[in-house]
């Protein structure tokens, strides 16, 4: 038997169940089977530490960083080498930590298995480690035990099993001889013996864990970072190679050309791209924590911003997971108070089950002298509980149970029995469970007092949360293991809609979603009678249709779908396994925090998009200007040390983007790489044009010396680069809301001031004085305002093109429909 803190350890042969045959397996036979099938434990597949590290150092961006590090070592640039290697270590460390948290999922699933079991070996009852159980073992289970393996019950009166963490059913399930029970479920009442039918990964619980291991989804954030990185790497490599070849053809010193190419490469490739975006999300995660939402996987923040479907578990998420009495239906001449009082007398007060707890919570507070002298607990065969009561008016009996049983017990006429049966059916159609109540007096015999209805009520904030989510463009779908009548009633109460599908009708023979009643997954509001594998397949099917899917849950049964979902959300009170599989863990009750988390995530997404556009635009601006200047004018517009200073001064304020004000989109947002690359390319090319205009004015119109031209070009690239941050942070003109946060403005302007002082007083370059420097500032400000207008114009053209595309698709669809 499984031991818990609340259950004392059994002594051998004490309370041993009476079974036939009595001996169970022998130790020798059990040992042989253990060697054959393995231990009763979940199998873990973990990569070695070396394997993980190699994974983080492999890919296009790491290759470029490693190549730059190697070249730094060859040339003896030890400071560059140290900086590059530090960045590699930081990136690998962030990735390693995320994977380490993900690997805890199977470990936490293992912890849910019971540690010991009461098993019959060699003719005696003994406590052994649950991991040593084998198929064929005879196990004793009683109140409070966590089942150690899948069992087939063979003897005993009955067993009430809570398997909500596995199936999502809100009520305990009654089991008897011949029934199967699953590992990980909890015995709530009764005691029975069972034969082990499956252990370890072959159990229902183990197969659920296997689904968690299979679940895998690459985030849109990871894909976007890879695409941005690849684009910048290709552009950088191509242009740097052109510069290097041009230098060699012009007979420039080889080492100087190689050094310049190295520094330009290190300054241009997105070495810090993954780190900056991760820091942006980490800051956002801290903000979400203030709203009782703990982020366990940073990339899920970006996924949440684009989430367009949220699959919500019903029990404990949309509802309270607490049975509550509904409207009572007293018989004629019976008051509601008498109906409740008699029902309460037929409850087990010392160890109430969920139904008893709900009834006792509504018992009238008025005192009574009635006293229970004998109590007969619920019998799954007779399907009722009975109490013998002694009171001032004499002795009588109180009973509650299945309505049809109570009607028969009271011998109601056919017409009355039909009327009460209709009332039970009407309650069931609304998702309510009915309970009959009767009283027996010595003179009159059993008298039917009426019906009680029970249901798991919705949370007070569920309807409001669903409405707010829909305002944000998120479609909510309820996923539950309960009957469709219960699902339909709850869905109607919370304003979700009543289009409820049944899981077994939704999936075809091949296990794929086939639709039901002409409805697709997109068209239904919820799915009932769902098993763990169904949840997993539902999420996969929605993802295959192009949706970014969120999934809420609290039990072991939800873990595979939580892992597979783009955003897995473990609600308050979730099991360890569910929390480990989730990306977001809610510490406050209900779903109301989700809408706040979505709004925060969309702001974070805007900040990441802003940085991505800025990074691409600046890389294009610097590289194209450098390449064309060298090829066309045979002139290096900035020196190697200026390139290093630009990279340093540009990177310092970048982290402040994570703290900037950002708009909240009213619809799901996704990485639109076409839009990002278009805006960034336009801003980059515009920057190249304005740089050449200034270059021409300084060199040919003002006739400044080359070192003065280089210093002023450096200042222009620095000032314009910082102003580009302001350009990319919204979709309107720079003076439109949301205005930049002081946390962005202060570091940005401070680094511009530092760069100006370097140019004016000639640190690492020729001094220019204040006059030329202020002239460059004025030029940059005018160009900045023009760039804002260019950006707005490009965005309008993109929106018009997108609108025309959607209209064209609509016309095509309409034509095909005809």
């Amino acid at each position: 038997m499984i031991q818990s803190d609340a259950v004392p350890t059994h002594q051998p042969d004490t309370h041993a169940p009476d079974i036939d045959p009595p001996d169970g397996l022998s130790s020798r036979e059990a040992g042989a089977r253990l060697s054959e099938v393995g231990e009763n434990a979940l199998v873990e597949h973990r990569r070695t530490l070396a394997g993980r590290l190699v994974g983080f150092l492999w890919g296009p961006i790491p290759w470029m960083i490693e190549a730059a590090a190697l070249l730094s070592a060859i040339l003896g640039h030890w400071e560059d080498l140290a900086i590059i290697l530090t960045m590699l270590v930081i990136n690998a460390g962030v990735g390693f930590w995320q994977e380490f948290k993900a690997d805890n999922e199977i470990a936490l699933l293992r912890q849910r298995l019971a540690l010991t079991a009461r098993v019959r070996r060699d003719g005696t009852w003994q406590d052994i480690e649950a991991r040593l159980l084998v198929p064929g073992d005879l196990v004793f289970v009683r109140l409070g035990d966590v089942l150690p393996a899948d069992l087939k019950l063979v003897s005993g009166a009955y067993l009430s099993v809570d398997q909500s963490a596995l199936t999502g059913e809100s009520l305990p399930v009654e089991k008897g001889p011949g029934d199967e029970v699953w590992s990980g479920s909890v015995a709530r009442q009764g005691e029975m013996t069972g034969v082990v039918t499956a252990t370890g990964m072959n159990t229902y619980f183990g197969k659920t864990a296997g689904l968690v291991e299979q679940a895998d989804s690459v985030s849109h954030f990871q894909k976007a970072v890879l695409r941005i990185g690849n684009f910048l790497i290709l552009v950088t490599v191509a242009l740097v190679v052109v510069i290097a070849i041009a230098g060699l053809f012009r007979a420039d010193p080889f080492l100087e050309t190689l050094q310049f190419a190295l520094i330009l490469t290190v300054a241009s490739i997105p070495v810090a791209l993954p780190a900056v975006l991760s820091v942006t999300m980490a800051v956002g995660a801290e903000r979400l924590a203030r709203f009782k939402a703990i982020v366990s996987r940073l990339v899920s923040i970006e996924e949440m911003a684009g989430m367009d479907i949220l699959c919500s578990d019903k029990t404990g998420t949309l509802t309270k997971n607490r049975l509550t009495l509904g409207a009572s239906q007293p018989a004629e001449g019976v008051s509601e108070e008498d109906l409740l009082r008699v029902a309460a007398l037929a409850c087990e007060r010392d160890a109430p089950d969920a139904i008893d707890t709900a009834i006792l919570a509504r018992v009238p507070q008025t005192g009574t002298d009635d006293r229970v002298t004998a109590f007969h607990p619920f019998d799954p065969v007779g399907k009722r509980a009975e109490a013998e009561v002694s009171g001032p008016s004499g002795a009588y009996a109180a009973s509650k149970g299945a309505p049809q049983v109570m009607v028969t017990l009271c011998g109601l006429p056919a017409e009355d029995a039909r009327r009460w049966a209709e009332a039970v059916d009407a309650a069931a159609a609304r998702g309510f469970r009915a309970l009959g109540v009767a009283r027996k007096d010595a003179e009159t015999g059993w008298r039917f007092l009426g019906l009680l209805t029970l249901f798991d009520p919705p949370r007070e904030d569920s309807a409001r949360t669903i409405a707010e989510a829909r305002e944000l463009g998120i479609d909510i779908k309820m996923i539950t293991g309960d009957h469709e009548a219960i699902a339909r009633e709850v869905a109607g109460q919370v304003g979700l809609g009543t289009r409820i599908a049944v899981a077994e009708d939704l999936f075809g023979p091949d296990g794929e979603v086939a639709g039901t009643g002409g409805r697709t997954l997109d068209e239904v509001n919820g799915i009932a009678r769902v098993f763990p594998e169904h949840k997993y397949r539902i999420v996969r099917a929605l993802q295959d249709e192009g949706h970014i899917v969120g999934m809420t849950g609290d039990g072991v049964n939800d873990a595979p779908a939580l892992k597979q979902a783009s955003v897995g959300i473990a609600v308050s009170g979730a099991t360890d396994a569910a929390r480990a599989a989730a990306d977001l863990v809610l510490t406050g009750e209900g779903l109301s925090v989700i809408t706040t988390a979505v709004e925060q995530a969309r702001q974070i997404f805007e900040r990441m998009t802003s940085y991505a556009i800025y990074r691409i635009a600046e890389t294009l601006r610097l590289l194209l200007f450098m390449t064309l200047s060298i090829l066309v004018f045979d002139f290096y517009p900035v020196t190697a040390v200026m390139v290093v200073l630009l990279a340093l001064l540009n990177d310092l304020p970048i982290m402040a983007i994570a703290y900037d004000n950002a708009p909240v989109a009213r619809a799901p947002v996704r990485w639109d790489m076409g839009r990002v690359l278009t805006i960034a390319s336009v801003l980059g090319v515009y920057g190249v044009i304005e740089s050449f205009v200034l270059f021409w004015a300084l060199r040919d119109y003002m006739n400044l010396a080359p070192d003065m031209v280089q210093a002023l070009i450096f200042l222009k690239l620095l000032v314009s680069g910082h102003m580009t941050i302001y350009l990319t942070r919204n979709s309107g003109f720079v003076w439109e809301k949301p205005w930049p946060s002081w946390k962005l403005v202060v570091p940005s302007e401070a680094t511009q001031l530092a760069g100006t002082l370097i140019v004016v007083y000639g640190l690492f370059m020729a001094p220019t004085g204040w006059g030329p420097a202020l002239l460059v500032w004025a030029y940059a400000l005018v160009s900045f305002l023009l760039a804002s207008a260019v950006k707005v114009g490009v965005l309008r053209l993109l929106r018009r093109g997108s609108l025309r595309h959607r209209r064209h698709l609509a016309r095509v669809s309409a034509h095909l429909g005809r």
Side-chain angles (χ1 to χ4, degrees), residues 93-104:
V94 171
F96 177 84
W97 174 246
Q98 291 178 354
E99 186 171 293
F100 173 78
K101 290 177 70 68
D103 282 348
N104 286 335

Side-chain angles (χ1 to χ4, degrees), residues 218-539:
V218 178
S219 77
H220 293 75
F221 166 76
Q222 293 165 326
K223 296 176 182 176
V225 170
L226 188 62
R227 291 181 66 183
I228 294 171
N230 289 344
F231 175 80
L232 292 179
I233 287 170
L234 290 174
V235 171
T236 300
V237 171
L239 296 181
V240 168
V241 167
V242 169
I243 292 173
I245 293 175
L248 293 176
F249 271 104
R250 289 170 176 164
D252 293 337
F254 175 75
L255 288 180
E256 290 183 12
T257 302
L258 193 60
Q259 178 194 30
F260 189 82
L262 164 70
I263 293 175
L264 190 59
T265 301
V266 173
S268 301
I269 64 174
V271 174
L273 176 64
V276 170
L277 297 184
S278 294
V279 168
T280 303
M281 289 188 290
V283 172
E286 292 181 9
R287 292 182 178 178
L288 290 177
R290 300 172 194 167
F291 296 99
K292 298 184 179 181
I294 308 301
V295 177
S296 61
R297 192 173 67 109
L298 285 180
V299 294
S300 66
I301 293 176
E302 183 268 344
E303 299 284 41
M304 188 178 301
M307 180 175 69
D308 58 344
I309 288 183
L310 176 63
C311 296
S312 175
D313 185 41
K314 178 187 74 67
T315 305
T317 304
L318 295 176
T319 66
K320 296 180 179 180
N321 195 21
R322 184 173 67 247
L323 275 184
T324 302
L325 279 182
S328 59
Q329 300 182 42
E332 186 176 353
V334 178
S335 68
E336 183 178 17
E337 181 178 342
D338 286 340
L339 177 65
L340 287 170
R341 182 176 56 80
V342 172
L345 290 169
C347 292
E348 174 62 78
R349 291 180 177 271
D350 294 332
D353 60 15
I355 295 176
D356 290 350
T357 300
I359 294 173
L360 292 173
R362 283 275 301 276
V363 174
Q365 297 301 311
T366 55
T368 177
D369 294 327
D370 292 344
R371 181 171 56 87
V372 175
T373 57
F375 184 77
H376 307 285
F378 180 82
D379 175 10
V381 177
K383 296 188 181 300
R384 68 185 183 92
E386 182 178 331
E388 298 176 15
V389 184
S390 175
S393 60
Y396 64 95
S399 182
K400 70 178 189 332
Q404 68 274 19
V405 171
M406 305 307 291
V407 166
T408 303
L409 178 69
C410 297
L412 293 183
E415 180 62 24
D416 290 343
R418 183 187 60 79
R419 183 167 56 85
W420 286 112
E422 290 175 352
V424 171
D425 292 341
R430 296 183 56 206
F432 287 77
R433 178 173 178 175
L435 196 68
V437 181
R439 169 175 171 156
K440 178 184 179 183
D441 295 304
E443 299 82 10
T444 60
W446 285 105
R447 179 189 176 196
F448 190 76
L449 301 183
L451 294 177
L452 298 178
T453 58
L454 300 109
F455 71 109
D456 181 11
R459 298 185 58 84
E460 291 81 0
D461 60 350
S462 291
R464 175 172 51 82
T465 300
I466 289 173
E468 291 175 351
R470 284 176 168 169
E471 289 178 359
L472 292 172
I474 302 173
D475 184 20
I476 310 289
K477 297 187 184 298
M478 182 172 67
I479 311 294
T480 177
D482 272 332
H483 191 273
E484 58 268 27
I486 298 175
R488 190 172 292 110
E489 175 68 17
V490 172
Q493 290 184 26
V494 299
L496 189 60
T498 56
R499 299 192 304 271
I500 305 298
V502 177
E504 62 184 16
D505 297 334
L506 193 60
F507 292 93
D510 57 355
E512 298 299 321
V513 176
T516 177
R519 295 173 178 168
T520 65
L521 273 176
D522 281 332
E523 295 173 322
V524 299
N525 302 124
I527 305 169
R529 287 193 264 172
V530 170
F531 285 94
E533 59 269 22
H534 291 147
K535 295 184 180 184
Y536 173 79
R537 290 174 188 165
I538 289 168
V539 171

Side-chain angles (χ1 to χ4, degrees), residues 620-697:
L620 292 176
R621 184 194 305 253
L622 178 63
L623 284 175
L624 286 175
F625 180 56
M626 292 288 296
T627 303
L628 293 176
S629 295
I630 294 170
L631 293 180
V632 177
F633 299 101
D634 191 18
F635 180 76
Y636 283 79
V638 288
T639 64
V641 70
M642 291 178 183
V643 174
V644 174
L645 284 173
L646 274 175
L648 178 62
L649 293 173
N650 280 342
D651 285 343
L652 287 177
I654 290 305
M655 293 297 180
I657 291 178
Y659 302 93
D660 189 24
N661 298 323
V664 178
R666 304 312 296 176
V669 290
R670 300 197 189 188
W671 283 100
D672 185 346
M673 296 309 299
R675 176 179 177 274
V676 169
L677 293 177
T678 299
I679 297 173
S681 298
V682 169
L683 291 178
V685 171
Y686 175 84
V688 172
I689 294 173
E690 67 177 13
S691 296
F692 271 118
V693 170
L694 180 64
F695 171 67
W696 168 80

Side-chain angles (χ1 to χ4, degrees), residues 288 293-296 300 304 567-571 582-586 594 597:
L288 290 177
I294 308 301
V295 177
S296 61
S300 66
M304 188 178 301
V567 186
I569 305 170
V571 298
D583 306 307
L584 189 73
V585 180
L586 306 184
I594 289 182

